Amino acid sequence: MVLTDVITVVSLLSLGGIIGLAGFRRLFRLDRLRWEYIRQNACRWHRWQVTEGGTSLICALCGKRSRRLNPPPEFPPEMM
């Protein structure tokens, strides 16, 4: 009887810990996303740089990502 009570209490405590940890991780993630959104909206003059693949742009000041409007060239301009 005592053993089942101990097992039940330990199981409930571990389940509560897992649920609490997941909740805190979600809150921290949402807070990080909120601060990133505030930082990107505060950046008035973006300094855009092309990413490695050449398909998108990233601001060097705030880290905001944007898709590239003009497609990357098929060959470098030096080869023209």
Side-chain angles (χ1 to χ4, degrees), residues 37-50:
Y37 176 77
I38 290 170
R39 186 184 75 235
Q40 289 177 355
N41 281 344
C43 185
R44 296 279 183 214
W45 307 103
H46 294 293
R47 190 182 313 153
W48 296 109
Q49 294 178 345
V50 180

Side-chain angles (χ1 to χ4, degrees), residues 7 14 17-18 24 27 29 36 41 45 57 64 66 75-76:
I7 291 173
S14 63
I18 291 171
F24 279 124
L27 286 176
R29 181 180 161 271
E36 183 177 329
N41 281 344
W45 307 103
L57 302 171
K64 186 174 187 175
S66 175
F75 47 86

Side-chain angles (χ1 to χ4, degrees), residues 1 4 21 29 34 41 46-47 56 73-74 76:
M1 185 74 171
T4 58
L21 180 65
R29 181 180 161 271
R34 183 177 64 91
N41 281 344
H46 294 293
R47 190 182 313 153
S56 64
E74 295 178 7

